[in-house]
Amino acid sequence: MTVTPRAHDLLWLDSNTPPQGITDPWVAEYWHCGLPVVVRRDTDPQGRIPVGIRGATRAQRAAGWVAPRRVVRVVTPEQLSRPAVLASSPYGQMAPLRAARQLAERPWPWQWGITGSVGYALATGAGVLHGDSDLDLTIRAPLPLSRALLETWQRLVSGLSCRADTQLETPAGAIALNEWLRDGRGLLKTCRGPRLVRSPWHVEE
């Protein structure tokens, strides 16, 4: 399938062959093609997709590369924030899912999604959640957004029943929304490393 992946997308591959560059022993024991890999932020002159594999524990993380032709299915963070997905989750009574449903009840003028362990659990059913799990969120912002509306989002997120963090994703990279709103600048994560910026839509030194 034709794939134009973005950071945090979940990809299912065509076989149990691990991504290139991954040799961690736990991967061979734990990972199989029924579990997705996660697109990470990097760049490759050969056109390979930068991906990571999540293991059973926080310490088990491995980074590698896959050819686009190996991808057979894609699930985006935005798909995981849909009310129907949240309502049907077996983890629905856990604090992160209750918090996500609160956000989904409001109309927002942007696309937003769920990443991290909550997104992975929603997509796979894997038992990686617990009552203290953080809710990791992303807002897609191809163009500058209203600061007032972003502040409204952040106030709501700050009052949720669990710890929640939002990354503002722009064509230049991703920045922690709370940090940027508070300080007027922050570290923008790009495919070529972090950059200190005032506008997350424009990379500056």
Side-chain angles (χ1 to χ4, degrees):
M1 63 184 297
T2 301
V3 180
T4 305
R6 298 183 292 184
H8 306 298
D9 284 355
L10 299 175
L11 312 180
W12 278 257
L13 305 182
D14 59 356
S15 74
N16 290 334
T17 302
Q20 293 173 287
I22 293 182
T23 58
D24 307 58
W26 65 264
V27 172
E29 299 174 3
Y30 174 82
W31 183 81
H32 54 83
C33 64
L35 295 174
V37 297
V38 186
V39 178
R40 55 188 179 84
R41 217 177 299 277
D42 207 336
T43 186
D44 177 49
Q46 300 177 42
R48 296 174 301 175
I49 303 168
V51 298
I53 291 180
R54 299 176 62 104
T57 68
R58 185 181 292 272
Q60 291 180 328
R61 299 288 187 270
W65 307 86
V66 296
R69 66 177 180 276
R70 291 201 56 197
V71 178
V72 297
R73 181 186 175 207
V74 180
V75 170
T76 68
E78 293 91 327
Q79 289 173 293
L80 298 174
S81 68
R82 292 173 180 169
V85 174
L86 299 174
S88 63
S89 170
Y91 305 107
Q93 295 311 306
M94 289 189 173
L97 269 295
R98 296 200 307 272
R101 288 200 301 272
Q102 281 183 257
L103 290 171
E105 289 171 356
R106 298 278 294 269
W108 302 102
W110 51 64
Q111 291 187 320
W112 67 277
I114 300 173
T115 64
S117 60
V118 177
Y120 192 84
L122 285 168
T124 66
V128 295
L129 290 189
H130 50 78
D132 295 326
S133 292
D134 294 348
L135 177 61
D136 295 313
L137 303 162
T138 184
I139 290 176
R140 304 292 190 189
L143 297 172
L145 298 174
S146 161
R147 184 182 179 91
L149 283 175
L150 288 172
E151 288 173 341
T152 298
W153 167 281
Q154 185 58 41
R155 283 194 297 271
L156 180 55
V157 165
S158 297
L160 294 174
S161 56
C162 68
R163 176 179 167 81
D165 294 300
T166 305
Q167 293 284 314
L168 188 64
E169 291 271 355
T170 78
I175 197 168
L177 178 61
N178 188 43
E179 176 186 9
W180 180 61
L181 291 175
R182 183 190 64 223
D183 301 336
R185 65 177 186 172
L187 282 178
L188 185 75
K189 293 185 283 189
T190 79
C191 290
R192 291 179 170 81
R195 298 286 189 273
L196 184 62
V197 302
R198 294 192 180 278
S199 169
W201 290 272
H202 301 94
V203 176
E204 327 164 347
E205 292 296 332

